[in-house]
Structures are given as structure tokens and as C-alpha cells.
Amino acid sequence: MNYELKAIASIRTDFPTKFGIPRQSGLVKGLKGRIVFEPEYRDPEALRGLELFSHIWLLWDFSEARREDYKWRPTVRPPRLGGNRRVGVFATRSPFRPNNIGLSSVRIVSIELHTPEGPVITVEGADLMDGTPIFDIKPYLPFTDNHPEAIGGFAEETFDSELSNDEKHYTFDSLLLKVFDEEKLQALREILASDPRPHYHNDPDRVYVLPFADKEVKFRIKGGEVEAWL
């Protein structure tokens, strides 16, 4: 049986490509995104009462992971496990799955009901690429959605980065400091602290290019020290 999902909105973020996007929502709290609704759903009444909540769930489309030749496979190779160990697809959040549906928990920063684009929700902590279609929005309920006793499996064991959030470990060139305001700089530090490099890359002299906020940020990580420039 086939089902049809319609995008109700899309999100505007500082990530034009997949590289550098946090591996999970909420990891980089300084990252902001704007949820803009499709014309059919630009009715402020649909958001009535949402201002009473602090967080929401986003159900969205892994639109950039779609493949015409995709065939169902029961296992995938998560990058966090080095890209060479297979685990069950339902034990991962891999985009390559029977249905390309993503799930993110984000914090509401503001809700504007009347803008030239209709109602707009600004959120932070999003892990979505610019333009990602959103299928649905649901309020986060802390009394049932929060499970402090939960176990994170292999994802929890392999996630920790050796990089620090401390500013003293980051060297930004003068142009970068001039172009980005403090909010963007803080978000960039948090992105780099999560180490966006493929997990199996550890070449201290390799320069990576991170498309971010309409710029191409170059960076290198060596011995826990991060150097970034434009």
C-alpha cells in the first residue's frame, strides 16, 4: 500500500550542503533556523497555542538522500563506527532507510504569525539542511518525551569529540571575525567542536571547506586546536 506525504513547510538554515550539519538535533544550540510554511498551510490558526510550548518535534524529508536506484537493505554502515561496521538500519538514524523520514527536537525561539511569508517559527538546535521539506510539527512533551534513564547504545559510546568548546582552542582569522557576528561565531565554534570531519579522518594537515552562512569556511584540526579562516 502506498501513502502520500505532503510537505507543510520548509526550513531555512545556514547549511547549503550536508557537510558540517550537526549529527543530531540540539547538539549545536546556537544554530537557528526559520520554518516557513507552504501557501496552503499559512493559516495562523494552525499555530494557536503553540506559544505555550518551549520545544517541538519536526518530522522531515531526507530529500538529499533520495536515490532513484535505492533498494531496501537491512543494514547500514554508520560513519561514527568508522564506516566499515554494519548494524541494522532500525538501530540507526541513517538517512538511507525504507522511508526517508527524519526526526528532530528543536527549541522555539519565536513565533511570528504575520510576516510577508505567513507564519514563521524560528527555532534553534536544528540539524537540517537549508530548504529541507517538513512533513509535520508536534509539540515536545517533557513529561512523556524525556527519558533520563534511556540508554544510547553504540551511538552514545562513540559520539564524544575530543575537541573543547573553550574559545582559547580556536583561532579565527580577522576576516572571519569581521564577517560573522558573535552569534554566528559561537555557532561555528560549536559546529567545529562536534568535529564535522568523517570519523575515520584524522589528518592534522588536511584542510576542509565548510559551507556556512553564505560563506566557505576553511578549517584544520590539529592536536585539539582548531584553525578557521575565509
Side-chain angles (χ1 to χ4, degrees):
M1 184 177 295
N2 293 322
Y3 296 90
E4 181 181 353
L5 286 175
K6 295 179 66 175
I8 63 164
S10 62
I11 192 166
R12 314 281 171 77
T13 72
D14 285 323
F15 291 101
T17 68
K18 292 183 287 184
F19 182 61
I21 294 177
R23 294 180 176 93
Q24 302 294 338
S25 58
L27 288 178
V28 180
K29 294 180 172 55
L31 278 178
K32 288 192 172 135
R34 297 173 68 252
I35 298 171
V36 179
F37 289 85
E38 295 298 319
E40 182 180 351
Y41 301 100
R42 291 180 182 176
D43 188 338
E45 286 295 293
L47 276 66
R48 184 195 292 184
L50 190 60
E51 73 279 359
L52 301 176
F53 297 88
S54 64
H55 293 69
I56 52 178
W57 289 107
L58 302 178
L59 282 81
W60 47 276
D61 182 16
F62 277 112
S63 52
E64 294 302 306
R66 290 185 178 276
R67 293 178 177 174
E68 293 296 329
D69 61 345
Y70 173 77
K71 294 181 180 179
W72 152 250
R73 291 183 177 87
T75 62
V76 294
R77 294 183 292 183
R80 295 300 292 181
L81 293 179
N84 52 18
R85 175 181 162 191
R86 285 193 172 273
V87 296
V89 64
F90 299 132
T92 76
R93 296 191 178 186
S94 166
F96 302 109
R97 48 201 322 111
N99 292 300
N100 301 66
I101 297 175
L103 176 70
S104 297
S105 172
V106 296
R107 189 180 81 84
I108 297 173
V109 175
S110 66
I111 301 174
E112 301 171 89
L113 296 179
H114 304 286
T115 81
E117 299 172 297
V120 172
I121 307 173
T122 299
V123 299
E124 65 179 14
D127 56 340
L128 289 79
M129 199 172 86
D130 185 52
T132 296
I134 295 174
F135 291 135
D136 204 358
I137 296 170
K138 299 179 185 291
Y140 177 97
L141 305 177
F143 69 91
T144 185
D145 292 345
N146 184 28
H147 301 281
E149 77 284 4
I151 298 172
F154 63 81
E156 190 172 62
E157 295 169 4
T158 62
F159 183 77
D160 291 339
S161 168
E162 296 179 358
L163 302 178
S164 167
N165 273 320
D166 195 321
E167 287 187 36
K168 68 182 181 181
H169 296 292
Y170 295 79
T171 302
F172 291 164
D173 78 336
S174 58
L175 183 56
L176 194 60
L177 294 171
K178 181 179 179 180
V179 168
F180 289 159
D181 60 22
E182 186 51 45
E183 183 179 272
K184 284 280 195 290
L185 289 172
Q186 178 58 31
L188 180 60
R189 271 191 291 270
E190 291 183 46
I191 293 165
L192 295 174
S194 69
D195 197 347
R197 300 175 299 174
H199 194 56
Y200 45 87
H201 282 197
N202 195 26
D203 181 353
D205 296 315
R206 181 167 180 168
V207 174
Y208 295 83
V209 179
L210 169 66
F212 176 70
D214 297 324
K215 304 294 180 186
E216 289 196 341
V217 179
K218 300 177 180 65
F219 72 92
R220 180 166 45 214
I221 299 175
K222 189 173 186 176
E225 302 294 316
V226 182
E227 180 185 5
W229 65 94
L230 290 178

